Amino acid sequence: MRLGGSGFMALARPFALLVALALAVLVACGDPTAPPATADEVAYLQVVAHHDDDLLFMNPDVRDGVRSGHRLMTVFLTAGEAEEPDANGYSAARQAGARAAYARMAGVPDEWDGSAMALAGGRTAERYSLKSRPRVALVFLNLPEDADPRAAGGRGALSRLWRDRGGWVSVDTLVPTGGQVAEPSRYTGNGLVKVLAKLMEGFRPTVLRTQDPDPDPDYPFWLPLHDHPDHVMSARFAEAAARSYRRSPDRPALSVVGYRDYNIEDAPANLGPEQQNDKIGHFGEYQKHDKLAHGPAYDRWSRRMYYRWDRGTAWVGQAPDGRLHAFAVRGKDVIGWRQAGDRWESAAVDRPDGPLAAGLAVGRGVGGLTVCGRRLDNDGMTCRDDRGWVGLGSPDPGDARVGVPAVAAHRDGRLALFVRDARGGVSRVEQDGDGRWGSWDRLGGADVRDGLSAVPGPDGAPEVYAATATSVLRWAGGWDSSFPAVAPAGAPVAVADAGGTTVVVPVADTGEVLRATRTGGAWSAPVRGPGPGGPGRPAAVSADGAVVVVGRAGDGGVTTDASGAWAGIGGTPLDYPAAAVDPAGRLVVLLVGPDGRLHTSVRAERGGAFGPWQATP
């Protein structure tokens, strides 16, 4: 990450870039025919532009990967030299900072084995493995950073390589002072894709973490891309390489997770104090080596972590026969699982009409169990029920600001679908009595963030809850200002049962969760208490007469709160767990793991213990 060649953010500096068509963000990529990984095959690969991007935008996820004991490798595309006079020395210092931060995350001495690494096309890179944890490795390609005017062709080296895929443009790498390589390597755009694809073939990752290839256009800086060009291009190159890698034979399933970058500074702090301090401490090790990595923005980034399109917690639902079904996006496909007694099995789902974002919403409508998603190629909604996929269009066609869907049913079984629209409000589309979807209605609202929660209201009509930067909004035939005021750290989750409606809200900056319950038309006094300890939104479900909250723990596992106290139940979620009640009345917690499998843990009775995690074959 680099704020600008002089170390200050060029807030409105225009870039003379021809913006390539944005690649779809494949948050759970992979060929559905590729087998899930075994536990021994799990491997994490990060591809980032600069030496601190992983620390600022992907932590605490990277930290959890480092501490997991599985193989982990981070590839840094640029030398990060910017406009520094001693480009080679400054790049070497940033490398030292990255190594120091990873050693601290691993809790071992900052001692590494370095070597020159042979790459495709006769190129070389610098590779370092942590002596006390040799499964942790860092690879530095050392391509010119965007702000360096000394690169062949001037500034914007990665952007030029991306635009020119015919091999007419090439740039040479830098040679950091005292490093592992003595001569530069020459890259074209296609050459960089081949290098990354070959790295993937050799490393065989099951998780690929990237930056944001298509940033939210609401962020007003770093135009025209709305983020640092190197961030965007590193993500696009990584995803292009992943598409090539997925054609490799005998590879395990690959999950791709994209992370928001600069624009998270405008979002509420969604890490609790303990995780903030941990992340700041890891970045502090890096800062000792980078004289330019200081200022208020670095502090804001260190208190947040946001996925570009997160999975959410509404990806499981109950079919008309009572069985639970779960869904996940994998490349251009949606994969499914269904409950079969005490086990789960794969369930075939036909391919949707376009690539989808990770955030799926599942409900039961006129056409049976229905899964809905947001298309990445045209920003529209699509849903599948027993009759197949059908496109619903969009309230704002072609606008990247349209969010992922939330669904809830009317009392008569008709579904309503809600999204955050491009105006920062909420829009809705509903089924008629025959299950046909109608036209979009704008419900209004302002400053709504992506990640809505919809449930049936007391009158049988769906209502929706949404987070803004400073409050939680409720719509039920109109906007209701009576919900208790709280600054949310992320999306609220609403649970409706016979006793009323409970809304669970992660509280900004504190790590707490707030609960409020509506019975008889009035909200209870909000109750704030400790949160799960990890990042992101919780899941919630009504089970055995109580609302149970499920979230990520501070150690990266899963934790539940069924009686006012959190209890860890283990597991290794790739992002956010979900929860549901099965036909036998048992509470089921579900997650998608870094092995690409669905994992479930079951609590048979209230107050009982959760059983061991079971992985779907």
Side-chain angles (χ1 to χ4, degrees):
M1 198 289 309
R2 177 56 52 230
L3 292 178
S6 62
F8 297 94
M9 179 172 285
L11 295 181
R13 186 178 72 177
F15 291 90
L17 300 176
L18 176 62
V19 181
L21 179 64
L23 295 176
V25 183
L26 306 178
V27 184
C29 291
D31 179 348
T33 63
T38 66
D40 290 340
E41 289 179 314
V42 169
Y44 299 93
L45 175 65
Q46 292 72 232
V47 177
V48 295
H50 308 122
H51 305 73
D52 54 356
D53 290 339
D54 47 343
L55 304 174
L56 290 171
F57 307 124
M58 298 178 178
N59 252 348
D61 280 1
V62 173
R63 178 209 66 179
D64 293 342
V66 168
R67 295 177 180 176
S68 71
H70 294 296
R71 293 180 298 119
L72 180 142
M73 181 167 70
T74 300
V75 178
F76 303 92
L77 296 193
T78 80
E81 76 284 5
E83 299 171 298
E84 283 300 293
D86 181 9
N88 307 77
Y90 180 56
S91 179
R94 297 191 72 179
Q95 286 190 12
R99 293 194 295 270
Y102 273 78
R104 174 158 176 170
M105 285 190 283
V108 299
D110 183 16
E111 299 173 353
W112 299 75
D113 289 318
S115 62
M117 183 179 188
L119 302 174
R123 303 173 181 91
T124 56
E126 299 179 87
R127 184 185 187 278
Y128 293 87
S129 60
L130 191 54
K131 285 187 176 181
S132 298
R133 295 280 182 85
R135 301 190 110 193
V136 175
L138 307 181
V139 175
F140 301 93
L141 299 191
N142 298 319
L143 286 156
E145 203 265 351
D146 180 78
D148 191 349
R150 296 158 293 192
R155 302 178 191 270
L158 274 187
S159 298
R160 290 198 309 279
L161 292 183
W162 178 255
R163 291 196 305 269
D164 173 57
R165 305 302 291 278
W168 297 100
V169 173
S170 63
V171 296
D172 290 343
T173 60
L174 275 74
V175 180
T177 302
Q180 304 299 318
V181 298
E183 299 291 335
S185 294
R186 180 158 294 177
Y187 279 84
T188 61
N190 284 339
L192 179 53
V193 172
K194 290 177 182 177
V195 162
L196 293 175
K198 286 295 184 182
L199 274 172
M200 293 178 190
E201 288 180 19
F203 187 67
R204 292 172 57 84
T206 61
V207 176
L208 170 63
R209 296 186 174 118
T210 76
Q211 297 185 261
D212 187 351
D214 189 16
D216 189 329
D218 274 344
Y219 190 64
F221 308 128
W222 289 91
L223 304 178
L225 297 180
H226 305 279
D227 205 331
H228 194 299
D230 285 346
H231 295 171
V232 177
M233 299 308 150
S234 72
R236 293 180 180 180
F237 274 114
E239 290 187 348
R243 289 195 295 275
S244 176
Y245 168 64
R246 287 196 298 273
R247 295 192 290 269
S248 303
D250 303 322
R251 61 162 184 82
L254 176 68
S255 297
V256 180
V257 184
Y259 294 78
R260 291 171 54 187
D261 299 307
Y262 279 160
N263 60 26
I264 67 173
E265 68 173 318
D266 290 342
N270 65 342
L271 300 181
E274 185 174 342
Q275 285 205 320
Q276 289 183 29
N277 291 336
D278 201 34
K279 183 173 178 177
I280 289 169
H282 298 146
F283 183 65
E285 290 297 319
Y286 170 84
Q287 281 182 303
K288 296 174 184 177
H289 300 266
D290 187 345
K291 61 185 179 181
L292 300 182
H294 300 276
Y298 289 92
D299 181 72
R300 292 193 292 271
W301 292 321
S302 295
R303 301 180 188 277
R304 295 155 172 82
M305 186 194 77
Y306 282 86
Y307 301 113
R308 179 58 178 99
W309 301 105
D310 71 51
R311 189 186 307 276
T313 61
W315 45 275
V316 58
Q318 195 170 49
D321 64 4
R323 291 193 296 175
L324 296 179
H325 288 239
F327 301 89
V329 176
R330 183 170 289 171
K332 295 182 179 180
D333 295 273
V334 172
I335 57 174
W337 302 275
R338 62 176 170 240
Q339 194 177 26
D342 289 333
R343 62 184 181 85
W344 286 72
E345 61 188 14
S346 297
V349 180
D350 52 317
R351 175 172 283 189
D353 40 9
L356 303 183
L360 301 177
V362 181
R364 195 164 72 199
V366 175
L369 188 68
T370 303
V371 56
C372 298
R374 180 201 188 280
R375 286 180 56 172
L376 292 166
D377 54 349
N378 65 7
D379 307 301
M381 301 299 127
T382 184
C383 292
R384 182 196 184 277
D385 58 19
D386 294 344
R387 299 164 293 187
W389 290 97
V390 60
L392 281 60
S394 169
D396 300 287
D399 198 307
R401 292 170 292 186
V402 175
V404 296
V407 298
H410 287 268
R411 185 171 290 155
D412 60 8
R414 295 179 298 115
L415 282 178
L417 181 148
F418 302 86
V419 296
R420 180 242 194 185
D421 59 38
R423 300 181 185 180
V426 175
S427 290
R428 175 191 62 182
V429 63
E430 295 187 314
Q431 290 179 322
D432 64 17
D434 295 322
R436 293 186 296 263
W437 293 93
S439 57
W440 287 93
D441 294 322
R442 294 192 186 274
L443 307 181
D447 190 35
V448 169
R449 305 301 171 103
D450 197 16
L452 310 178
S453 183
V455 293
D459 61 355
E463 58 186 25
V464 65
Y465 295 82
T468 73
T470 58
S471 65
V472 173
L473 305 178
R474 170 180 172 264
W475 184 92
W479 291 100
D480 174 15
S481 60
S482 66
F483 186 82
V486 61
V493 58
V495 178
D497 58 20
T501 301
T502 297
V503 179
V504 180
V505 183
V507 181
D509 208 40
T510 67
E512 297 176 314
V513 293
L514 175 146
R515 300 190 197 201
T517 300
R518 184 188 62 216
T519 55
W523 289 100
S524 67
V527 177
R528 291 172 65 151
R537 67 175 77 178
V541 65
S542 178
D544 298 315
V547 172
V548 180
V549 185
V550 179
R552 280 180 62 179
D555 63 1
V558 179
T559 185
T560 67
D561 180 359
S563 58
W566 291 94
I569 61 173
T572 308
L574 182 61
D575 38 37
Y576 299 145
V581 175
D582 73 5
R586 302 177 301 177
L587 174 59
V588 182
V589 177
L590 310 91
L591 63 86
V592 176
D595 55 2
R597 300 174 188 264
L598 177 72
H599 297 250
T600 58
S601 179
V602 177
R603 189 192 73 179
E605 59 185 13
R606 183 171 183 174
F610 281 87
W613 288 94
Q614 302 292 329
T616 302

